[in-house]
Amino acid sequence: MILSIESSCDDSAIAITKIDTNELLFHKKISQEVEHSVYGGVVPELAARLHIEALPKILEECKPYFKDLKAIAVTSAPGLSVTLMEGVTMAKALSLSLDLPLISVNHLKGHIYSLFIEKESKLPVTTLLVSGGHTQIIEVQSLTDMKIVGSTSDDSFGESFDKVAKMLGLGYPGGPVVQEYSQKGDKNRFELPIPLRQSPNIEFSYSGLKNAVRVLIIKLEKDGELTQQDKYDICACFQKTAVAHIIMKLKKYFKQVQPTRFAIVGGASANLHLRKEIDILLKAFRCDELLLAELKYCSDNAAMIGRIAVEQYKQNDFVHINEIDITPKVKVL
Ligand code: KG4
Ligand code: ZN
Protein backbone atom coordinates (compact mmCIF):
# COMPACT_ATOMS: atom_id res chain seq x y z
CA MET A 1 0.00 0.00 0.00
CA ILE A 2 0.99 3.61 -0.52
CA LEU A 3 0.15 6.44 1.85
CA SER A 4 -0.32 9.71 -0.08
CA ILE A 5 -0.54 13.27 1.21
CA GLU A 6 -2.02 16.37 -0.47
CA SER A 7 -1.57 19.91 0.91
CA SER A 8 -0.89 22.07 -2.15
CA CYS A 9 -3.61 24.62 -1.38
CA ASP A 10 -6.56 24.63 1.05
CA ASP A 11 -7.38 20.91 1.35
CA SER A 12 -5.58 18.61 3.78
CA ALA A 13 -5.97 15.03 2.58
CA ILE A 14 -4.43 11.60 3.06
CA ALA A 15 -5.19 8.37 1.19
CA ILE A 16 -4.12 4.74 1.33
CA THR A 17 -4.06 2.97 -2.06
CA LYS A 18 -3.42 -0.70 -2.76
CA ILE A 19 -0.59 -1.11 -5.24
CA ASP A 20 -1.66 -4.28 -7.05
CA THR A 21 -5.37 -3.43 -7.51
CA ASN A 22 -5.53 0.41 -7.34
CA GLU A 23 -8.13 -0.05 -4.62
CA LEU A 24 -8.66 3.03 -2.46
CA LEU A 25 -8.64 1.68 1.10
CA PHE A 26 -8.83 4.99 2.94
CA HIS A 27 -9.40 8.61 2.00
CA LYS A 28 -10.07 11.58 4.19
CA LYS A 29 -10.03 15.26 3.36
CA ILE A 30 -10.45 18.28 5.62
CA SER A 31 -11.29 21.40 3.58
CA GLN A 32 -10.69 24.96 4.72
CA GLU A 33 -13.34 26.67 2.59
CA VAL A 34 -15.22 28.11 5.58
CA GLU A 35 -12.09 29.60 7.11
CA HIS A 36 -11.01 31.29 3.84
CA SER A 37 -14.51 32.32 2.78
CA VAL A 38 -14.48 35.62 4.71
CA TYR A 39 -11.37 36.70 2.76
CA GLY A 40 -12.84 35.79 -0.67
CA GLY A 41 -9.82 33.60 -1.46
CA VAL A 42 -7.13 31.41 0.06
CA VAL A 43 -4.82 33.10 2.59
CA PRO A 44 -1.59 31.03 2.34
CA GLU A 45 -0.35 31.57 5.89
CA LEU A 46 -3.74 30.65 7.36
CA ALA A 47 -3.90 27.60 5.08
CA ALA A 48 -0.49 26.43 6.32
CA ARG A 49 -1.56 26.75 9.96
CA LEU A 50 -4.76 24.78 9.30
CA HIS A 51 -2.78 21.98 7.57
CA ILE A 52 -0.63 21.70 10.71
CA GLU A 53 -3.80 20.90 12.69
CA ALA A 54 -5.60 18.76 10.11
CA LEU A 55 -2.90 16.48 8.68
CA PRO A 56 -1.85 14.85 12.00
CA LYS A 57 -5.55 14.29 12.84
CA ILE A 58 -6.09 12.37 9.59
CA LEU A 59 -2.78 10.53 9.94
CA GLU A 60 -3.87 9.19 13.33
CA GLU A 61 -6.63 7.22 11.50
CA CYS A 62 -4.07 5.72 9.10
CA LYS A 63 -1.98 4.05 11.80
CA PRO A 64 -3.56 0.57 11.33
CA TYR A 65 -2.18 0.58 7.74
CA PHE A 66 1.39 1.53 8.68
CA LYS A 67 2.66 -2.07 8.80
CA ASP A 68 1.53 -2.71 5.20
CA LEU A 69 2.98 0.44 3.62
CA LYS A 70 5.53 0.20 0.83
CA ALA A 71 5.99 3.91 0.09
CA ILE A 72 5.00 7.45 1.09
CA ALA A 73 3.83 9.81 -1.67
CA VAL A 74 3.36 13.55 -1.42
CA THR A 75 2.42 16.47 -3.66
CA SER A 76 5.59 18.53 -4.07
CA ALA A 77 4.55 21.02 -6.82
CA PRO A 78 2.92 23.16 -8.04
CA GLY A 79 1.12 24.87 -5.18
CA LEU A 80 1.60 27.33 -2.35
CA SER A 81 5.11 26.85 -0.95
CA VAL A 82 4.03 27.30 2.67
CA THR A 83 1.28 24.68 2.40
CA LEU A 84 3.25 22.20 0.27
CA MET A 85 5.88 22.35 3.01
CA GLU A 86 3.43 20.92 5.57
CA GLY A 87 2.67 17.79 3.55
CA VAL A 88 6.28 17.36 2.46
CA THR A 89 7.57 17.64 6.03
CA MET A 90 5.10 15.00 7.19
CA ALA A 91 6.04 12.73 4.27
CA LYS A 92 9.76 13.06 5.03
CA ALA A 93 9.17 12.27 8.71
CA LEU A 94 7.12 9.18 7.79
CA SER A 95 9.68 8.05 5.23
CA LEU A 96 12.47 8.28 7.80
CA SER A 97 10.63 6.80 10.77
CA LEU A 98 9.00 3.92 8.84
CA ASP A 99 12.03 3.42 6.57
CA LEU A 100 9.99 3.71 3.37
CA PRO A 101 10.86 5.21 -0.02
CA LEU A 102 9.47 8.60 -0.93
CA ILE A 103 7.51 9.44 -4.10
CA SER A 104 7.30 13.07 -5.20
CA VAL A 105 4.05 13.80 -7.08
CA ASN A 106 3.23 16.65 -9.46
CA HIS A 107 -0.21 17.96 -8.48
CA LEU A 108 -1.33 18.56 -12.08
CA LYS A 109 -0.41 15.03 -13.11
CA GLY A 110 -2.31 13.92 -10.01
CA HIS A 111 -5.45 15.66 -11.34
CA ILE A 112 -5.05 13.70 -14.59
CA TYR A 113 -4.90 10.44 -12.66
CA SER A 114 -8.10 11.39 -10.79
CA LEU A 115 -9.68 9.86 -13.93
CA PHE A 116 -8.27 6.46 -12.99
CA ILE A 117 -8.98 6.19 -9.25
CA GLU A 118 -9.78 2.51 -8.58
CA LYS A 119 -9.47 1.87 -12.34
CA GLU A 120 -6.90 0.93 -14.94
CA SER A 121 -5.47 3.94 -16.78
CA LYS A 122 -6.59 4.66 -20.35
CA LEU A 123 -4.00 6.52 -22.40
CA PRO A 124 -3.39 8.49 -24.55
CA VAL A 125 -5.94 11.14 -23.66
CA THR A 126 -6.16 14.84 -24.45
CA THR A 127 -7.09 16.54 -21.20
CA LEU A 128 -8.58 19.89 -20.27
CA LEU A 129 -7.40 20.79 -16.77
CA VAL A 130 -9.52 23.52 -15.20
CA SER A 131 -8.80 24.37 -11.58
CA GLY A 132 -8.29 27.34 -9.29
CA GLY A 133 -4.70 27.67 -10.45
CA HIS A 134 -4.64 26.28 -13.99
CA THR A 135 -6.42 26.22 -17.35
CA GLN A 136 -4.54 23.94 -19.69
CA ILE A 137 -4.95 21.59 -22.60
CA ILE A 138 -2.55 18.70 -22.01
CA GLU A 139 -1.71 15.92 -24.44
CA VAL A 140 -1.12 12.93 -22.18
CA GLN A 141 0.71 10.08 -23.92
CA SER A 142 2.00 8.30 -20.83
CA LEU A 143 2.97 8.87 -17.21
CA THR A 144 6.19 10.55 -18.28
CA ASP A 145 5.11 12.09 -21.59
CA MET A 146 2.67 14.94 -21.05
CA LYS A 147 2.72 18.11 -23.13
CA ILE A 148 0.89 21.37 -22.42
CA VAL A 149 -0.46 22.66 -25.74
CA GLY A 150 -2.52 25.57 -24.42
CA SER A 151 -2.67 27.50 -21.15
CA THR A 152 -3.79 30.78 -19.63
CA SER A 153 -1.67 33.88 -19.73
CA ASP A 154 -3.25 35.32 -16.58
CA ASP A 155 -6.15 34.12 -14.37
CA SER A 156 -7.47 30.57 -14.54
CA PHE A 157 -11.03 29.46 -15.32
CA GLY A 158 -11.82 28.49 -11.70
CA GLU A 159 -10.11 31.57 -10.35
CA SER A 160 -12.33 33.82 -12.50
CA PHE A 161 -15.40 32.24 -10.86
CA ASP A 162 -13.80 32.94 -7.46
CA LYS A 163 -13.16 36.59 -8.39
CA VAL A 164 -16.69 37.15 -9.72
CA ALA A 165 -18.12 35.59 -6.55
CA LYS A 166 -15.92 37.89 -4.47
CA MET A 167 -17.11 40.98 -6.38
CA LEU A 168 -20.73 39.94 -5.74
CA GLY A 169 -20.05 39.12 -2.07
CA LEU A 170 -20.85 35.42 -2.52
CA GLY A 171 -17.88 33.99 -0.57
CA TYR A 172 -15.27 31.38 -1.52
CA PRO A 173 -15.01 29.12 -3.51
CA GLY A 174 -16.91 30.90 -6.25
CA GLY A 175 -17.45 28.05 -8.72
CA PRO A 176 -20.36 26.21 -7.10
CA VAL A 177 -22.25 29.36 -6.05
CA VAL A 178 -21.79 31.14 -9.40
CA GLN A 179 -23.04 27.98 -11.14
CA GLU A 180 -26.07 27.88 -8.83
CA TYR A 181 -26.85 31.59 -9.37
CA SER A 182 -26.46 31.14 -13.14
CA GLN A 183 -29.30 28.64 -13.18
CA LYS A 184 -31.69 31.38 -11.97
CA GLY A 185 -30.34 34.09 -14.27
CA ASP A 186 -30.93 35.42 -17.77
CA LYS A 187 -27.77 34.57 -19.71
CA ASN A 188 -28.66 37.03 -22.48
CA ARG A 189 -29.24 40.16 -20.38
CA PHE A 190 -25.67 41.52 -20.61
CA GLU A 191 -23.17 41.24 -23.44
CA LEU A 192 -19.72 40.34 -22.10
CA PRO A 193 -16.66 40.04 -24.38
CA ILE A 194 -15.42 36.52 -25.17
CA PRO A 195 -11.66 36.68 -24.47
CA LEU A 196 -9.11 36.37 -27.33
CA ARG A 197 -11.87 35.93 -29.87
CA GLN A 198 -9.76 37.24 -32.75
CA SER A 199 -6.54 35.48 -31.74
CA PRO A 200 -5.66 32.38 -33.78
CA ASN A 201 -3.63 31.00 -30.86
CA ILE A 202 -4.77 28.21 -28.59
CA GLU A 203 -4.43 30.09 -25.33
CA PHE A 204 -6.69 31.34 -22.57
CA SER A 205 -7.13 34.60 -20.70
CA TYR A 206 -9.61 35.50 -17.98
CA SER A 207 -8.41 38.85 -16.62
CA GLY A 208 -10.26 40.87 -19.31
CA LEU A 209 -13.55 39.07 -18.68
CA LYS A 210 -13.14 39.54 -14.94
CA ASN A 211 -12.60 43.25 -15.50
CA ALA A 212 -15.65 43.46 -17.79
CA VAL A 213 -17.75 42.01 -14.95
CA ARG A 214 -16.24 44.56 -12.55
CA VAL A 215 -17.12 47.44 -14.90
CA LEU A 216 -20.65 46.05 -15.37
CA ILE A 217 -21.19 45.88 -11.60
CA ILE A 218 -19.98 49.49 -11.16
CA LYS A 219 -22.36 50.61 -13.95
CA LEU A 220 -25.35 48.82 -12.44
CA GLU A 221 -24.56 50.12 -8.95
CA LYS A 222 -24.87 53.69 -10.22
CA ASP A 223 -28.63 53.08 -10.28
CA GLY A 224 -28.69 51.66 -6.74
CA GLU A 225 -27.76 48.46 -4.94
CA LEU A 226 -27.68 45.26 -7.02
CA THR A 227 -30.86 43.21 -6.75
CA GLN A 228 -30.77 39.46 -6.29
CA GLN A 229 -31.93 39.10 -9.91
CA ASP A 230 -29.06 41.35 -11.07
CA LYS A 231 -26.63 38.96 -9.35
CA TYR A 232 -28.26 35.91 -10.93
CA ASP A 233 -28.09 37.55 -14.36
CA ILE A 234 -24.45 38.65 -13.96
CA CYS A 235 -23.48 35.09 -12.98
CA ALA A 236 -25.39 33.58 -15.91
CA CYS A 237 -23.81 35.97 -18.44
CA PHE A 238 -20.33 35.50 -16.97
CA GLN A 239 -20.56 31.68 -16.89
CA LYS A 240 -21.86 31.58 -20.48
CA THR A 241 -18.92 33.74 -21.67
CA ALA A 242 -16.26 31.94 -19.59
CA VAL A 243 -17.35 28.59 -21.05
CA ALA A 244 -17.74 30.01 -24.58
CA HIS A 245 -14.06 31.07 -24.44
CA ILE A 246 -12.94 27.52 -23.63
CA ILE A 247 -15.18 26.00 -26.30
CA MET A 248 -13.98 28.44 -28.95
CA LYS A 249 -10.33 27.56 -28.24
CA LEU A 250 -11.05 23.83 -28.05
CA LYS A 251 -12.74 24.07 -31.44
CA LYS A 252 -9.51 25.52 -32.87
CA TYR A 253 -7.56 22.67 -31.28
CA PHE A 254 -9.93 19.99 -32.56
CA LYS A 255 -9.67 21.40 -36.09
CA GLN A 256 -5.89 20.85 -35.95
CA VAL A 257 -5.77 17.61 -33.96
CA GLN A 258 -8.59 15.09 -33.96
CA PRO A 259 -8.33 13.36 -30.58
CA THR A 260 -10.43 10.25 -30.14
CA ARG A 261 -10.37 10.38 -26.37
CA PHE A 262 -10.89 13.53 -24.29
CA ALA A 263 -11.01 14.24 -20.55
CA ILE A 264 -11.84 17.13 -18.22
CA VAL A 265 -10.18 17.25 -14.80
CA GLY A 266 -9.66 19.72 -11.93
CA GLY A 267 -12.00 21.37 -9.43
CA ALA A 268 -13.80 23.42 -12.08
CA SER A 269 -14.47 20.33 -14.22
CA ALA A 270 -17.50 19.96 -11.95
CA ASN A 271 -19.11 22.83 -13.86
CA LEU A 272 -22.24 21.43 -15.49
CA HIS A 273 -22.51 24.03 -18.26
CA LEU A 274 -18.88 23.35 -19.25
CA ARG A 275 -19.53 19.59 -19.27
CA LYS A 276 -22.62 20.03 -21.44
CA GLU A 277 -20.89 22.29 -23.97
CA ILE A 278 -17.87 19.98 -24.21
CA ASP A 279 -20.19 17.06 -24.79
CA ILE A 280 -21.75 18.90 -27.75
CA LEU A 281 -18.31 19.80 -29.12
CA LEU A 282 -17.05 16.21 -28.93
CA LYS A 283 -20.11 14.94 -30.79
CA ALA A 284 -19.53 17.51 -33.55
CA PHE A 285 -15.94 16.31 -33.95
CA ARG A 286 -16.78 12.60 -33.65
CA CYS A 287 -14.66 12.18 -30.54
CA ASP A 288 -16.66 9.46 -28.85
CA GLU A 289 -14.91 8.95 -25.55
CA LEU A 290 -15.18 11.52 -22.74
CA LEU A 291 -13.48 10.64 -19.46
CA LEU A 292 -14.52 12.40 -16.26
CA ALA A 293 -13.43 11.97 -12.67
CA GLU A 294 -16.10 11.24 -10.08
CA LEU A 295 -17.43 14.58 -8.80
CA LYS A 296 -15.93 14.00 -5.32
CA TYR A 297 -12.47 13.62 -6.91
CA CYS A 298 -12.63 16.68 -9.20
CA SER A 299 -11.38 19.04 -6.49
CA ASP A 300 -8.09 18.53 -4.69
CA ASN A 301 -7.75 15.18 -2.93
CA ALA A 302 -5.17 12.60 -1.91
CA ALA A 303 -6.80 9.67 -3.77
CA MET A 304 -5.54 11.05 -7.10
CA ILE A 305 -2.06 11.51 -5.59
CA GLY A 306 -2.13 7.89 -4.41
CA ARG A 307 -3.36 6.67 -7.80
CA ILE A 308 -0.51 8.27 -9.76
CA ALA A 309 1.95 7.23 -7.02
CA VAL A 310 1.07 3.58 -7.78
CA GLU A 311 2.28 4.13 -11.37
CA GLN A 312 5.42 5.92 -10.16
CA TYR A 313 6.08 3.11 -7.66
CA LYS A 314 5.92 0.55 -10.46
CA GLN A 315 8.51 2.58 -12.38
CA ASN A 316 10.78 2.89 -9.29
CA ASP A 317 10.33 6.66 -9.43
CA PHE A 318 11.53 7.47 -5.92
CA VAL A 319 13.33 10.53 -4.51
CA HIS A 320 15.76 10.97 -1.67
CA ILE A 321 14.36 13.12 1.16
CA ASN A 322 16.86 15.87 0.31
CA GLU A 323 15.75 15.88 -3.34
CA ILE A 324 12.15 17.02 -2.89
CA ASP A 325 11.99 20.53 -4.25
CA ILE A 326 8.95 22.71 -3.60
CA THR A 327 10.27 25.93 -5.12
CA PRO A 328 8.01 27.34 -7.88
CA LYS A 329 9.09 26.30 -11.37
CA VAL A 330 8.66 27.80 -14.83
CA LYS A 331 8.03 24.33 -16.28
CA VAL A 332 5.02 23.02 -14.35
CA LEU A 333 4.67 19.51 -15.78
O1 KG4 B 1 -8.71 21.62 -8.39
P1 KG4 B 1 -9.16 22.51 -7.29
O2 KG4 B 1 -9.87 21.90 -6.12
O3 KG4 B 1 -7.96 23.30 -6.69
C1 KG4 B 1 -6.87 23.72 -7.44
O4 KG4 B 1 -5.97 22.89 -7.72
O5 KG4 B 1 -6.89 24.93 -7.80
O6 KG4 B 1 -10.08 23.62 -7.98
C2 KG4 B 1 -10.72 24.61 -7.21
C3 KG4 B 1 -11.35 25.61 -8.17
C4 KG4 B 1 -11.88 26.86 -7.49
O7 KG4 B 1 -11.46 27.98 -8.22
C5 KG4 B 1 -13.40 26.68 -7.59
O8 KG4 B 1 -14.12 27.89 -7.62
C6 KG4 B 1 -13.51 25.92 -8.90
O9 KG4 B 1 -12.46 25.00 -8.86
N1 KG4 B 1 -14.81 25.23 -9.03
C7 KG4 B 1 -15.71 25.51 -10.00
C8 KG4 B 1 -16.84 24.68 -9.77
N2 KG4 B 1 -16.58 23.91 -8.65
C9 KG4 B 1 -15.33 24.27 -8.22
N3 KG4 B 1 -15.66 26.38 -11.01
C10 KG4 B 1 -16.73 26.45 -11.84
N4 KG4 B 1 -17.85 25.70 -11.67
C11 KG4 B 1 -17.95 24.81 -10.65
N5 KG4 B 1 -19.06 24.07 -10.50
ZN1 ZN C 1 -5.82 21.06 -7.84
Side-chain angles (χ1 to χ4, degrees):
M1 296 169 196
I2 294 177
L3 181 145
S4 55
I5 305 169
E6 160 63 35
S7 70
S8 66
C9 192
D10 58 339
D11 293 295
S12 318
I14 303 183
I16 309 276
T17 310
K18 214 157 175 241
I19 295 166
D20 54 350
T21 60
N22 299 321
E23 194 186 338
L24 184 61
L25 299 170
F26 172 91
H27 182 240
K28 186 152 185 184
K29 166 162 124 170
I30 297 178
S31 296
Q32 309 172 355
E33 287 172 358
V34 176
E35 287 87 346
H36 294 290
S37 185
V38 283
Y39 304 102
V42 176
V43 181
E45 192 270 341
L46 171 62
R49 263 192 288 131
L50 294 169
H51 284 305
I52 296 174
E53 287 170 25
L55 286 173
K57 255 191 223 158
I58 308 176
L59 188 68
E60 199 59 38
E61 293 182 46
C62 299
K63 280 192 174 155
Y65 299 100
F66 276 14
K67 60 183 186 329
D68 298 310
L69 294 179
K70 292 280 178 262
I72 304 295
V74 63
T75 302
S76 59
L80 303 169
S81 304
V82 287
T83 63
L84 287 168
M85 186 64 93
E86 300 307 331
V88 167
T89 305
M90 175 176 270
K92 284 184 178 183
L94 286 169
S95 163
L96 278 176
S97 58
L98 300 174
D99 193 21
L100 292 169
L102 203 51
I103 298 172
S104 166
V105 176
N106 178 293
H107 181 79
L108 305 184
K109 290 187 174 186
H111 271 300
I112 292 167
Y113 274 77
S114 66
L115 297 166
F116 311 128
I117 292 169
E118 301 209 82
K119 288 183 200 149
E120 281 304 317
S121 55
K122 262 188 174 181
L123 299 175
V125 60
T126 302
T127 305
L128 173 71
L129 166 67
V130 272
S131 68
H134 297 87
T135 306
Q136 296 172 335
I137 303 172
I138 307 167
E139 290 177 344
V140 183
Q141 297 297 334
S142 69
L143 177 68
T144 51
D145 182 359
M146 300 189 188
K147 193 167 132 212
I148 299 170
V149 292
S151 61
T152 177
S153 46
D154 40 60
D155 291 358
S156 76
F157 179 74
E159 187 181 4
S160 69
F161 279 71
D162 296 334
K163 298 277 168 65
V164 167
K166 189 175 179 183
M167 287 186 249
L168 294 173
L170 304 179
Y172 172 86
V177 61
V178 170
Q179 169 171 290
E180 194 193 313
Y181 269 45
S182 297
Q183 282 158 358
K184 299 175 192 152
D186 172 4
K187 63 180 190 307
N188 298 315
R189 179 167 161 203
F190 310 110
E191 186 92 32
L192 291 168
I194 299 177
L196 305 177
R197 198 178 190 146
Q198 306 302 334
S199 158
N201 301 338
I202 297 170
E203 61 178 339
F204 303 100
S205 167
Y206 278 97
S207 62
L209 175 58
K210 175 184 72 181
N211 197 46
V213 173
R214 191 181 64 82
V215 171
L216 173 64
I217 292 172
I218 293 172
K219 200 171 137 219
L220 289 172
E221 279 178 341
K222 284 208 174 111
D223 298 329
E225 215 177 294
L226 294 184
T227 64
Q228 197 63 9
Q229 193 58 48
D230 287 337
K231 292 185 182 182
Y232 293 152
D233 295 345
I234 292 168
C235 286
C237 295
F238 158 74
Q239 178 178 267
K240 179 179 99 172
T241 313
V243 170
H245 174 36
I246 289 199
I247 297 297
M248 219 170 243
K249 293 299 175 185
L250 279 180
K251 228 177 233 171
K252 281 197 196 323
Y253 173 79
F254 272 73
K255 276 185 188 159
Q256 293 171 18
V257 187
Q258 277 255 338
T260 51
R261 191 181 289 136
F262 193 78
I264 328 172
V265 299
S269 71
N271 187 276
L272 297 174
H273 181 55
L274 177 68
R275 285 182 173 211
K276 196 177 107 220
E277 290 297 315
I278 285 187
D279 215 34
I280 295 169
L281 178 84
L282 296 192
K283 284 200 177 86
F285 282 90
R286 299 184 191 292
C287 171
D288 43 34
E289 201 174 352
L290 174 63
L291 306 184
L292 295 164
E294 265 187 73
L295 272 181
K296 63 181 172 197
Y297 299 129
C298 286
S299 56
D300 290 349
N301 64 82
M304 66 187 195
I305 305 304
R307 179 62 188 86
I308 189 168
V310 166
E311 304 294 327
Q312 291 183 238
Y313 180 89
K314 288 176 182 166
Q315 298 200 1
N316 290 318
D317 182 8
F318 303 115
V319 287
H320 186 267
I321 59 162
N322 295 330
E323 276 174 3
I324 285 207
D325 177 15
I326 59 156
T327 50
K329 295 168 192 68
V330 178
K331 191 175 175 295
V332 289
L333 260 187

